[in-house]
Amino acid sequence: MNCEKCQELISAYVDGDLSKGEARSFRTHLSVCMECSKLAEDFASIVGFCDEAFAEDSIPPNSQALWCRINNIIESEIEETPPVEEETAEEVPHRGFLSGTFSFSPAQAAASVLLIAVVSSLVTIVGYKNFAAPDDSIAGFEAEPSVFEKVLVRLGVAESPADKAQRRLEERKSAIDYWTKRVSKRRVEWDTGTRVTFDRNMDVIDKAVKQYTLLLKEDPQDEISTEMLDSALNEKMELLREFSEL
Amino acid sequence: MTLASYTRKYLKSAATATAFLFALAAFFAVSVTDVEAQRKFSRTYPASKNVRLQLTNRTGTITVRGWDRKTVQITAVLQKPIANLTPRNLSGTIVIDVVRDNKGRNEVGDVNFAVYVPYSSSIDIETRIGNLQVSSIQGGLVRAHISSEGDITLTNIGASSVSAKNVIGDIFYDGVFQPNGIYRFYSMQGNVNLRIPLKSSFKLVATAPSTRSISLGSFSNASMRFVGTGRRVIGKVGSGSATVNVTNQQGSISLLRR
């Protein structure tokens, strides 16, 4: 089973919908793939949490008693409400426009509406940026961050390009460590030609990684070197992953 | 003639005949070994015009050519140790995966494929080691990836999405850039040459960080600008409808007029 197939089956596995054979194959893959294993663990914990929360919320301990209490509270509040007196402009400077229980001024209401609009826009944009944008956009065609995006970064709501690059770098390195271990187990079985070819190609990639790492030490803001390092590490990961299948 | 001379003559001719027979036997033995060292595989599938070929090889060459027939013809020469090969026709996609079919086998010989497909097919081929050649394909997609080393040669291509990638080796593209098409060429070490019509229209990002050798030839114009101390060229040719991204980490990039 490959990672793609495994990740498709995570949901069905957590729900117990897989056949015995599929479940066995799924577990075998999890035992050798850290990435999928972690994903399955996360997914299971989310589903578990949701189930617990839903169970607590949906079935109150005694629903009839709860409704009785709510009714009592409402009735007591109605009884205790003093008769409404005619209000003058001096007593209440401005009454809320919704009902007597609210006392927002139009300015406050407008500010609230504006705040809600801004927050929901922020959430939408951040969500879109984080989840909808393709990760492997074509190098060089990426648009410059807009002023709004820069503000989001300043506010700490969105990831800065440097943080994003650093996160990607860390992800790549941990994936490379994983695949290196897989390859070191497999390579003893390869024929000499395959081993020699693999090493030659790995040398070329490692040289590039070293070169860009040095360049970035001199100039950490060098975008082309950052991009090339990222792409060389990606190549390394791909080479390791594809040869680990042999 | 004496008896002794007869005997000598007879023995001499017998020795010659024996030697001849041995030589003949040895020749046939070698021929048989040669035949056994490789096996030929051949299969033909009826195909629609928009068939997709998805071929993953371990080691060996893949040659794909477009032709004016509604069939896909696959021929493979398998070197010893003979690889398992089980092509599948999955609702319009012909899938051959030598890597998957031979998983767990330590030694598998080269498999050299020659495939003929309808012109308008989509091609998705990859190999771990070996050369890839695709010619006369006008379908939606041409993807040719080599995990490690080998040359990629794409000629007479009219696909709207092309991706060619290797680690060590040359990439040669000879074809057109379709409006709104996406073209991506990536090599770690080798030469990347793109031969396209002069009237092509595309946005270009070409990056050669080590050599800084980016030759635009006839496509050089005022909109092209070198950035990052000459390591990258960004610009537009014509209205810039296609998107072209070329990266060669340790080699040169050349645009040639077709």
Side-chain angles (χ1 to χ4, degrees):
Chain A
M1 184 178 286
N2 60 21
C3 293
E4 198 184 345
K5 179 76 182 162
C6 175
Q7 286 167 19
E8 271 174 27
L9 295 178
I10 287 177
S11 174
Y13 178 77
V14 170
D15 294 335
D17 291 339
L18 291 186
S19 68
K20 278 184 182 175
E22 279 180 326
R24 196 181 311 115
S25 166
F26 180 88
R27 280 193 295 270
T28 310
H29 181 77
L30 289 194
S31 65
V32 296
C33 180
M34 268 167 47
E35 197 185 342
C36 291
S37 166
K38 194 169 180 314
L39 212 65
E41 209 174 285
D42 290 347
F43 195 87
S45 64
I46 290 166
V47 170
F49 175 79
C50 291
D51 285 345
E52 276 176 30
F54 184 71
E56 279 173 19
D57 292 346
S58 62
I59 310 164
N62 186 343
S63 54
Q64 215 172 354
L66 186 69
W67 275 114
C68 283
R69 280 174 62 200
I70 292 168
N71 269 332
N72 290 339
I73 291 166
I74 293 168
E75 279 167 14
S76 64
E77 278 188 357
I78 290 168
E79 282 163 12
E80 284 167 14
T81 307
V84 179
E85 290 171 17
E86 205 173 298
E87 292 166 352
T88 58
E90 288 78 32
E91 283 169 327
V92 181
H94 200 95
R95 183 153 190 110
F97 67 93
L98 289 173
S99 74
T101 52
F102 295 99
S103 56
F104 293 126
S105 68
Q108 284 173 320
S112 307
V113 169
L114 193 67
L115 187 70
I116 290 166
V118 168
V119 169
S120 53
S121 305
L122 281 175
V123 168
T124 310
I125 290 163
V126 170
Y128 181 77
K129 289 277 171 197
N130 287 341
F131 301 109
D135 217 21
D136 292 318
S137 49
I138 296 173
F141 291 122
E142 288 149 12
E144 283 286 308
S146 65
V147 176
F148 191 64
E149 284 168 351
K150 284 176 185 167
V151 170
L152 290 181
V153 171
R154 280 280 176 87
L155 290 172
V157 181
E159 228 176 5
S160 72
D163 289 344
K164 200 174 176 182
Q166 188 60 34
R167 180 176 56 79
R168 278 171 69 96
L169 197 67
E170 294 302 322
E171 282 172 4
R172 292 262 191 277
K173 280 181 178 168
S174 61
I176 284 168
D177 288 345
Y178 170 75
W179 291 111
T180 305
K181 282 176 196 160
R182 292 279 297 263
V183 165
S184 60
K185 280 182 193 166
R186 283 293 304 152
R187 62 175 287 137
V188 289
E189 312 285 348
W190 296 344
D191 59 70
T192 317
T194 306
R195 266 201 298 272
V196 169
T197 307
F198 174 82
D199 290 342
R200 188 167 45 233
N201 283 268
M202 195 51 86
D203 275 353
V204 168
I205 297 174
D206 281 339
K207 270 183 195 165
V209 170
K210 202 173 168 184
Q211 181 191 343
Y212 299 121
T213 309
L214 284 172
L215 284 171
L216 282 169
K217 271 185 186 165
E218 288 168 15
D219 179 8
Q221 304 303 318
D222 183 0
E223 282 180 18
I224 292 180
S225 293
T226 307
E227 201 182 289
M228 291 298 118
L229 176 63
D230 186 55
S231 121
L233 287 172
N234 192 42
E235 279 305 302
K236 184 169 179 171
M237 191 176 74
E238 289 287 300
L239 184 70
L240 286 162
R241 188 177 62 78
E242 286 172 357
F243 272 71
S244 74
E245 293 172 350
L246 296 181
Chain B
M1 195 175 276
T2 62
L3 181 66
S5 68
Y6 262 122
T7 312
R8 268 201 303 275
K9 196 176 175 186
Y10 171 77
L11 285 174
K12 199 176 173 185
S13 59
T16 311
T18 310
F20 176 74
L21 280 174
F22 268 115
L24 204 64
F27 172 76
F28 277 114
V30 169
S31 301
V32 168
T33 313
D34 273 350
V35 168
E36 281 186 350
Q38 63 180 42
R39 191 177 292 166
K40 202 170 175 185
F41 171 95
S42 188
R43 197 163 290 182
T44 304
Y45 296 93
S48 67
K49 275 167 65 179
N50 301 321
V51 69
R52 182 185 164 102
L53 172 75
Q54 196 176 317
L55 203 169
T56 307
N57 200 4
R58 278 172 72 116
T59 57
T61 60
I62 303 176
T63 306
V64 180
R65 290 192 187 96
W67 69 359
D68 193 16
R69 290 188 204 174
K70 285 184 181 174
T71 50
V72 173
Q73 188 188 78
I74 301 164
T75 311
V77 176
L78 298 90
Q79 307 288 344
K80 245 186 169 180
I82 304 293
N84 297 324
L85 209 61
T86 50
R88 289 172 298 158
N89 189 354
L90 304 171
S91 55
T93 302
I94 293 172
V95 181
I96 305 169
D97 192 338
V98 184
V99 174
R100 190 199 53 215
D101 291 345
N102 294 277
K103 201 159 188 172
R105 286 183 63 186
N106 297 335
E107 284 197 29
V108 176
D110 286 4
V111 183
N112 299 316
F113 285 95
V115 186
Y116 285 90
V117 295
Y119 289 126
S120 51
S121 308
S122 284
I123 306 298
D124 180 355
I125 53 173
E126 62 175 85
T127 185
R128 300 293 172 258
I129 308 166
N131 298 335
L132 302 179
Q133 290 176 21
V134 180
S135 61
S136 304
I137 296 295
Q138 314 294 320
L141 166 86
V142 171
R143 178 181 173 271
H145 284 194
I146 302 172
S147 310
S148 61
E149 62 191 53
D151 297 333
I152 300 174
T153 310
L154 310 174
T155 49
N156 192 19
I157 304 295
S160 55
S161 176
V162 174
S163 172
K165 194 173 95 165
N166 63 9
V167 177
I168 303 175
D170 296 339
I171 297 177
F172 178 68
Y173 177 82
D174 179 10
V176 297
F177 291 153
Q178 297 287 3
N180 302 315
I182 296 177
Y183 300 85
R184 188 170 187 170
F185 306 93
Y186 184 97
S187 180
M188 289 292 297
Q189 191 180 74
N191 298 307
V192 180
N193 294 305
L194 311 180
R195 191 165 165 263
I196 48 172
L198 188 61
K199 286 184 179 174
S200 301
S201 164
F202 57 94
K203 288 188 288 288
L204 174 74
V205 175
T207 315
S210 290
T211 62
R212 291 172 165 80
S213 170
I214 304 172
S215 165
L216 299 172
S218 311
F219 301 94
S220 183
N221 63 41
S223 83
M224 294 287 181
R225 58 194 173 92
F226 280 82
V227 296
T229 58
R231 290 174 294 169
R232 172 174 282 172
V233 174
I234 300 176
K236 202 160 88 170
V237 174
S239 62
S241 57
T243 302
V244 181
N245 191 289
V246 193
T247 304
N248 195 349
Q249 294 249 13
Q250 292 167 44
S252 64
I253 297 170
S254 296
L255 264 63
L256 311 163
R257 184 182 162 174
R258 199 179 185 195

